[in-house]
Amino acid sequence: MKEKVVILGNGSMARVMYSYIKDKFNICGFCVDKKCITQHEIYHLPVVPFELVEESFPPIKHKMINCIGYLDMNSIRKEKSEQARKKGYTLLSYIDSSVKIHKDVEIEDNCIILDFVSIHVNTKIKEGTFISSNVNIGHDCIIDSYNWINSGVSIAGFANIGEFCFWGINSSCANNINIGNFNYISANTLINKNTNDNEVYISEARSE
């Protein structure tokens, strides 16, 4: 019997994740803060206020998957995860069946890893991290909590990535690099030096 699951979120990420997980889990509905409810059904499933979610979907019978996006550098995702756990919910991870996980890789709870990702030996992915499609993470890396890693990102070996970082599409990190917390790295940007906390890296735009 499929596990009963509630999706936390009602935006584009929640809808994308519904398409990934609907065949694996029994999706019972969506939840989001009452002030954020714009419609009361998604895919013919109810959208209920997060404040009252346990009344509609008791945590003793339902689990939850956090499909909130990267608002406020992923801090909202952490905040709602903590609140869901206080309500008694187990937060699920989702790792697509196409993901290639090499030897001695550790992936903590509450992570989402989409299709055609490769994670090389001795790498650790910490709690709450989202990894989109076609990402390559090298050997002996540490990806700290609540990173958001978009499609096509490449991270070379022995990289240490701080918490709450955002990686734009096709950005990359050289080997033996330490990335600070709360770094914003835009699309197509190469990081080849150590960074400090709260830094922004944007590649120069090319005009025709």
Side-chain angles (χ1 to χ4, degrees):
M1 183 179 294
K2 295 180 181 178
E3 291 183 295
K4 294 182 177 180
V5 173
V6 183
I7 292 176
L8 175 55
N10 67 342
S12 57
M13 192 64 231
R15 296 165 192 263
V16 167
M17 286 308 303
Y18 172 84
S19 71
Y20 273 94
I21 69 176
K22 62 185 176 62
D23 294 329
K24 183 175 181 179
F25 300 113
N26 177 9
I27 308 302
C28 299
F30 297 77
C31 67
V32 70
D33 286 352
K34 184 177 181 180
K35 65 182 180 181
C36 297
I37 293 178
T38 57
Q39 59 189 111
H40 295 283
E41 283 191 355
I42 298 175
Y43 301 129
H44 306 293
L45 295 173
V47 180
V48 303
F50 178 77
E51 295 87 342
L52 302 173
V53 62
E54 61 268 36
E55 296 180 8
S56 299
F57 306 113
I60 195 171
K61 295 182 179 179
H62 301 80
K63 295 183 179 180
M64 190 174 285
I65 185 165
N66 188 343
C67 299
I68 293 173
Y70 51 86
L71 293 170
D72 290 341
M73 294 294 289
N74 306 303
S75 60
I76 302 299
R77 294 180 61 237
K78 181 179 181 180
E79 176 185 338
K80 302 313 291 186
S81 292
E82 291 174 347
Q83 292 175 5
R85 287 184 173 125
K86 287 181 179 178
K87 289 176 176 287
Y89 287 98
T90 296
L91 292 175
L92 293 174
S93 288
Y94 172 77
I95 301 174
D96 193 81
S97 60
S98 65
V99 173
K100 177 64 176 178
I101 300 176
H102 293 262
K103 184 179 179 181
D104 297 326
V105 168
E106 181 181 349
I107 301 172
E108 293 186 352
D109 295 338
N110 192 25
C111 289
I112 292 174
I113 304 177
L114 300 186
D115 40 337
F116 304 110
V117 171
S118 181
I119 305 172
H120 295 188
V121 296
N122 301 321
T123 281
K124 183 172 185 177
I125 311 293
K126 291 193 178 181
E127 203 255 335
T129 291
F130 170 83
I131 303 176
S132 193
S133 307
N134 299 301
V135 168
N136 185 81
I137 298 178
H139 60 87
D140 299 282
C141 292
I142 297 176
I143 311 297
D144 215 333
S145 303
Y146 291 96
N147 269 258
W148 188 280
I149 302 175
N150 278 304
S151 299
V153 170
S154 293
I155 297 174
F158 293 109
N160 290 304
I161 312 301
E163 296 181 306
F164 300 103
C165 293
F166 175 90
W167 295 79
I169 289 174
N170 294 327
S171 57
S172 57
C173 177
N175 66 309
N176 288 292
I177 295 296
N178 295 316
I179 302 292
N181 302 319
F182 291 98
N183 274 213
Y184 180 94
I185 299 159
S186 72
N188 300 312
T189 299
L190 167 64
I191 302 298
N192 58 6
K193 65 175 184 178
N194 296 339
T195 75
N196 298 312
D197 294 348
N198 303 300
E199 293 191 335
V200 175
Y201 292 88
I202 300 176
S203 292
E204 182 178 356
R206 293 184 179 179
S207 58
E208 296 295 332

